[in-house]
Amino acid sequence: MTEEFDAVVAAVRDRVTPDDEERERLRAVTERLTERTEAAAADLPVETDVVLVGSTARSTWLAGDRDVDLFVQFPADLDRENLEAYGLQVGREVLPDGREEYAEHPYTVGEFEGFSVDLVPCYDVADATAIQSAVDRTPFHTAYLEARLDDDVAADVRVAKAFLKGIGVYGADLKTRGFSGFLTELLVLEYGGFRPFLDAAADWHPPVELDPEDHGAERETAPPSRNDEVGSADLAFDDPLVVIDPTDPGRNVAAALSPANVARLQHYAREFLADPRAELFEPDEPEPLDADAVRDAVAARGTTPVAVTFDAPDLVDDQLWPQLRKSRRGVAAELDRRGFDVFRSAAFADDRAVLFLELAVADRPAVERHDGPPVHVREHARGFYEKYAAAGTGADSSHREPPYGPFVADDRYVVERAREFTSARDFLESEALFEVALGAHVESALEDDYDVLVGDDVARLAAEFGTALARYFSPKP
Ligand SMILES: Nc1ccn([C@@H]2O[C@H](COP(=O)(O)OP(=O)(O)OP(=O)(O)O)[C@@H](O)[C@H]2O)c(=O)n1
Ligand SMILES: [Mg+2]
């Protein structure tokens, strides 16, 4: 067993370790890029430092990856407006064909000698607890790891990254909600290698807390109190994994990680330990479903899928996905509240965006039961009775339309009143959809226009979302 494990890991290690030629090329390219950036920054009226960060600075990138993260540190007392303006000015000069992206503040993404470069302005602060912007921590992370990663650990970090990629949980972006490069490096470092990391993860009982620099004591005596803007106060102890940032005691490095992705890691760690195989390192790309296959899947399940489709708001993924998640959850909760049983749901996005909800119950009767207070709660019960008695089945009622009652069932008043929506489609096509707490940009996209697909009609989504539908209808852990 251990032999098999070692053989698979050795093969993966060979595949993901950059060879000398790749290392040398990267070294030469980052050197030229750094010089060019320093030259561009020299024209500014402020002092700057240019630092290479991320996996290319620590030799933990996966062979063939061509991402370089370069940061320009500006004086901490520079106002944000100038930081942004200077940062973009340097970006335009170094990466003339690049484009501007927005995270907490704008940065530049572009090509340099065949590498994809993120050129990010940040503040040069005294230490990571004094950050003014979330990216200000990054150079401290790099310095911390550079001092601790030797070649063996770096090799194991690459294997761990390849594993996390293979099982679909790598990346701290808000769509994936997985493991960041930095988090992976800390975990491998803490546990002392890929194998001990897997062994530990297989046995985790969340919440799991790791505190590489023993900040615990410090935290208890001096709780972190910094501005919420930069997201520092994120030590929510219901996170399944808490890894105290060695450079900033107030910060959980694993804050973006979802409970599902922790569970996934645990599942696949056990799988791999029980039966080591290379395929777990290969991201799974299912064959897209065509429209017929979607119809077959729907028929086989006997459920009623409904889909709300609209033009995807023009946002970066890190802004779009939290809004899609919030909207999907909101619509699912509201459908549930209105008596439609949501079996499972998902969101898809490309040019169009989709809130996809699979319903076990999509139609409900004209009446719904509404329980009032127990009769013995005199005042309250009388209020309920009088309210509904006025609207209810009086002597002149035909008995052909709700409401029915109030009547007494067990010890309570009950009324059977008209249901506002008897089909999920009617609800989704109504103004009531907008009472759901949707993401702001999703709400305005829906206000512009949206379509509702019900049952078989969701097969029309196959043209754009065949792969996502394949994942939906053949779920993997
Ligand atoms: N636009 C960017 C790009 C990177 N970073 C920071 O720069 C570091 C490197 O980011 P990333 O490339 O995502 O991770 P790596 O550690 O380099 O891992 P890899 O590229 O191998 O996935 C991280 O601390 C990240 O927070 C950032 O703040 N803003
Ligand atoms: Mg990187």
Side-chain angles (χ1 to χ4, degrees), residues 53-58 60-62 65 67-71 101 103 105 107-109 118-120 134-139 141-142 145 157 161 165 170-172 179-183 185 251:
V53 300
S55 58
T56 43
R58 318 197 268 262
T60 53
W61 78 92
L62 300 190
D65 271 9
D67 288 336
V68 176
D69 308 291
L70 196 68
F71 278 42
E101 293 251 341
H105 50 227
Y107 62 101
T108 310
V109 180
D118 279 10
L119 195 62
V120 182
V135 292
D136 301 346
R137 281 192 202 98
T138 299
H141 293 165
T142 299
L145 288 167
V157 165
K161 284 187 181 181
K165 274 192 184 180
Y170 185 72
F179 294 77
S180 67
F182 181 52
L183 175 59
E185 291 173 0
R251 158 103 186 146

Side-chain angles (χ1 to χ4, degrees), residues 132-151:
Q132 302 180 45
S133 157
V135 292
D136 301 346
R137 281 192 202 98
T138 299
F140 295 98
H141 293 165
T142 299
Y144 180 85
L145 288 167
E146 266 174 350
R148 288 167 179 81
L149 289 178
D150 59 26
D151 285 354

Side-chain angles (χ1 to χ4, degrees), residues 304-310 331 335 352-357 359 423-431 433-434 446 449-461:
T304 306
V306 295
V308 177
T309 79
F310 50 99
V331 173
L335 281 168
R352 296 280 284 175
V354 181
L355 307 178
F356 189 87
L357 304 119
L359 307 180
S423 83
R425 177 198 285 276
D426 289 350
F427 163 69
L428 294 171
E429 287 178 344
S430 79
E431 280 298 310
L433 178 63
F434 291 90
L446 291 175
D449 193 24
Y450 68 97
D451 289 324
V452 175
L453 304 174
V454 176
D456 260 8
D457 271 355
V458 301
R460 276 194 246 161
L461 298 171

